[in-house]
Every structure is written in C-alpha cells, then in structure tokens.
Amino acid sequence: MVEHSGAERKRKASSEAVEDKFEHPITVGTRASCLLEVRESDSKNLLPCTIVERRNGDGKGSKGWDYYVHLDNSDRRLDQWITGDALFPLAFAKEGKDADEENQDTGGKITRHKRRIIETLNPTSQKETGNRVIEELEKAREEKTKVKNIGKIVFGDYEISTWYFSPYPHEYSSLSTLYTCAFCLKYMRLPSTYARHTCKCTWKSPPGIEIYHDKHLGSKRGAVKVFEIDGMLSPLYCQNLCLLAKLFLDHKTLCFDVPSFLFYVLTEQNKAGGWELVGFFSKEKGVSK
C-alpha cells in the first residue's frame, strides 16, 4: 500500500476539483467559479462569479457555449465572456459576498436624467417615491446594459479595451472591435472602411470655438487646446462623443439629448499637427454651477 504525502494529496484533490464541471448549457444566474489569469502574473485563479448571459460560441470548449460573468466584489468593467471550460462549481473557489448582498451594497447613483423623471412623476412627494423610482430605474438600466456590447475600440493610434455597454445602433453592437476616427468621431465596423476614412477625413480638430491654447503644456507630443462645442450646432459630433464616453462610464445617460448642453473638449497635438481628443466634460446651458 502506497502512502501519499500531504502535498501530493492536495494536488490530487485540486486535480479532482478541476475535473468536476457543469453540464452545459448552464442556467443564467448560476453562481460559479471561473478560472482567470491574474493581472501581472502568469498564474490562474478560481474566482467566484455569477453568470449574467450565455451564447453559442465558435464551437470550441464545452459544446460551443460561452458565458458572460460578473466577478464577486468587482466593478462591472471587469465583466467578460469566457468559455464554458473555464467554469466550475462554486465550492472550489473562495466564497465572496453573496450576489444579493453585493447589489445592496453597490446602490444606484442619481443622474440628472433620473432626477428629472422623479420630479415629473411626483414632484410633491419626491422623498416618499424617489427611492422606489430610483430602484426601478436602476434595475431596468442594469438589465439593459448588463452585457458589454463592444470589446475594444481602435481610436487613432490606440487600441483600447472597453469597460461598459454603450447604446450604439444595433448594426454596430456585438462587435469585438469598433473603429473610431480620432477627429470627427465617426464609428465603423470594418478595418478597411476605417483605413479609407482616415485617408479621406479632412477634420484636423473638433468643431466649435477654440477657447484655450497652451503651446508648452502636455506630453512629449506637444501642445494642448480646449474647444467649446454647442450641442445644438454640432449634434452628430456630440452624440458620437457621448456614445464613446459611455463605453467607459457606467452611469452616463446623456447620449442623444445633446442640444441643451455645451461640451468642452481637451485635445492634444499629434505628430501630423492635428488635434486629437484626450478628454471632455459637458455642462447644461444656463446652469452656472
């Protein structure tokens, strides 16, 4: 009879655990453990998660099923699609907070859009109904935006992984990569279309009024400029700007109601002399603060 050391028994138990898998397809809402690479490390860890959505993948892995998972105690920007082979019963990962408890801790932020809806629905009893309406709005928003619809964007010389859902038109949703012009912000599905556009696009800066120019401030590339853009005069540019920003802001609601806003766009000069978008903020017209 052969006796195994403590280390060998642990490796054997770990191996048996990894071999224990789900039957596919797995029901949406199931709590599970997912095998993911740890950032700045070559190792992989089993992390507790919740299955948010599922789809038939490319035929690889567990009968072609892919799953969109939310990691416990993590921001939604870390949600991602993984193959069924990377999912295991929850018992093999360190338990995190319960999903319901996590949702209670997170809460919802009150945006201008939500506040307007509350005041319109019941302005005299806002305190009594506000919380209930906010909760309903937040649930509806989370359900609609639970799955990130665009994986990454190509923006000028940069390739950037996205964080959140953005309400791009249906034909541009569910893309692994979205191509966006760094000057006019037009978005495209195909790299060939993007290449042709960059050769023909005549824009060298955002539309609007230049209100600030510093020839020395900025990175090694050169100077910076700030432009004031009226959403009434340049609605398409401002809408595209908001759609782009929504990929990195979970609670941004302004996407198409742009005429009543002013946009202040920070740009940086590139090697060719054009002024590329770096960041922006918006302000409602007539509001001093």
Side-chain angles (χ1 to χ4, degrees):
M1 183 175 179
V2 180
E3 294 185 0
H4 297 281
S5 66
E8 289 175 340
R9 285 195 297 270
K10 286 183 180 179
R11 284 196 296 269
K12 183 178 180 182
S14 176
S15 175
E16 291 174 352
V18 171
E19 291 175 358
D20 192 352
K21 296 187 178 182
F22 287 106
E23 291 185 2
H24 297 271
I26 307 172
T27 305
V28 171
T30 299
R31 302 269 291 131
S33 304
C34 56
L35 188 63
L36 295 177
E37 289 187 5
V38 179
R39 190 173 293 181
E40 300 179 355
S41 173
D42 295 332
S43 62
K44 291 186 177 182
N45 283 355
L46 280 173
L47 304 175
C49 67
T50 301
I51 297 175
V52 178
E53 190 56 89
R54 68 186 187 188
R55 69 183 181 191
N56 269 125
D58 56 7
K60 299 177 181 178
S62 297
K63 299 181 179 179
W65 285 99
D66 294 336
Y67 299 90
Y68 195 77
V69 298
H70 172 72
L71 302 178
D72 285 11
N73 307 322
S74 300
D75 189 90
R76 293 206 305 168
R77 69 176 181 269
L78 300 178
D79 295 1
Q80 57 187 288
W81 286 102
I82 63 174
T83 63
D85 289 338
L87 285 171
F88 305 90
L90 186 61
F92 301 115
K94 183 179 179 181
E95 279 281 5
K97 284 186 179 180
D98 183 76
D100 293 335
E101 181 184 349
E102 182 182 349
N103 291 336
Q104 291 174 4
D105 291 345
T106 302
K109 295 181 180 179
I110 304 176
T111 62
R112 287 188 296 261
H113 181 62
K114 291 179 183 179
R115 189 177 293 110
R116 288 172 185 162
I117 293 176
I118 294 169
E119 293 173 353
T120 301
L121 290 175
N122 201 342
T124 59
S125 58
Q126 178 179 343
K127 291 183 179 179
E128 297 178 3
T129 62
N131 290 337
R132 178 176 55 81
V133 174
I134 290 172
E135 289 176 1
E136 292 176 357
L137 287 171
E138 184 65 16
K139 287 181 180 179
R141 184 195 68 83
E142 288 186 355
E143 179 62 27
K144 185 177 180 180
T145 65
K146 64 182 180 180
V147 177
K148 183 166 50 181
N149 55 336
I150 295 170
K152 61 184 177 181
I153 61 169
V154 171
F155 185 81
D157 296 332
Y158 301 95
E159 186 175 288
I160 309 169
S161 297
T162 62
W163 286 0
Y164 303 108
F165 172 93
S166 184
Y168 280 91
H170 178 71
E171 59 269 28
Y172 294 92
S173 297
S174 302
L175 294 175
S176 59
T177 305
L178 184 70
Y179 299 85
T180 304
C181 177
F183 297 106
C184 70
L185 304 188
K186 180 179 180 180
Y187 46 87
M188 293 148 273
R189 292 179 292 177
L190 302 176
S192 56
T193 306
Y194 178 66
R196 289 195 299 270
H197 174 84
T198 53
C199 292
K200 296 179 180 179
C201 183
T202 59
W203 290 46
K204 296 301 179 183
S205 67
I209 304 170
E210 179 186 322
I211 61 173
Y212 180 81
H213 183 191
D214 192 314
K215 296 181 180 180
H216 305 289
L217 181 66
S219 69
K220 296 180 181 179
R221 283 189 171 186
V224 297
K225 285 185 179 181
V226 177
F227 294 84
E228 181 186 72
I229 306 170
D230 191 329
M232 178 71 76
L233 301 179
S234 304
L236 183 59
Y237 179 90
C238 295
Q239 288 172 3
N240 290 345
L241 180 60
C242 291
L243 287 171
L244 179 64
K246 181 63 184 71
L247 291 170
F248 305 96
L249 296 172
D250 193 15
H251 286 83
K252 183 172 181 60
T253 58
L254 172 66
C255 285
F256 302 106
D257 182 24
V258 297
S260 59
F261 285 82
L262 293 173
F263 294 80
Y264 296 88
V265 177
L266 174 65
T267 64
E268 184 179 62
Q269 191 173 32
N270 62 17
K271 295 179 181 178
W275 298 92
E276 293 183 344
L277 169 70
V278 175
F280 85 101
F281 72 91
S282 59
K283 183 182 74 171
E284 197 167 4
K285 295 177 183 178
V287 178
S288 59
K289 294 183 179 180

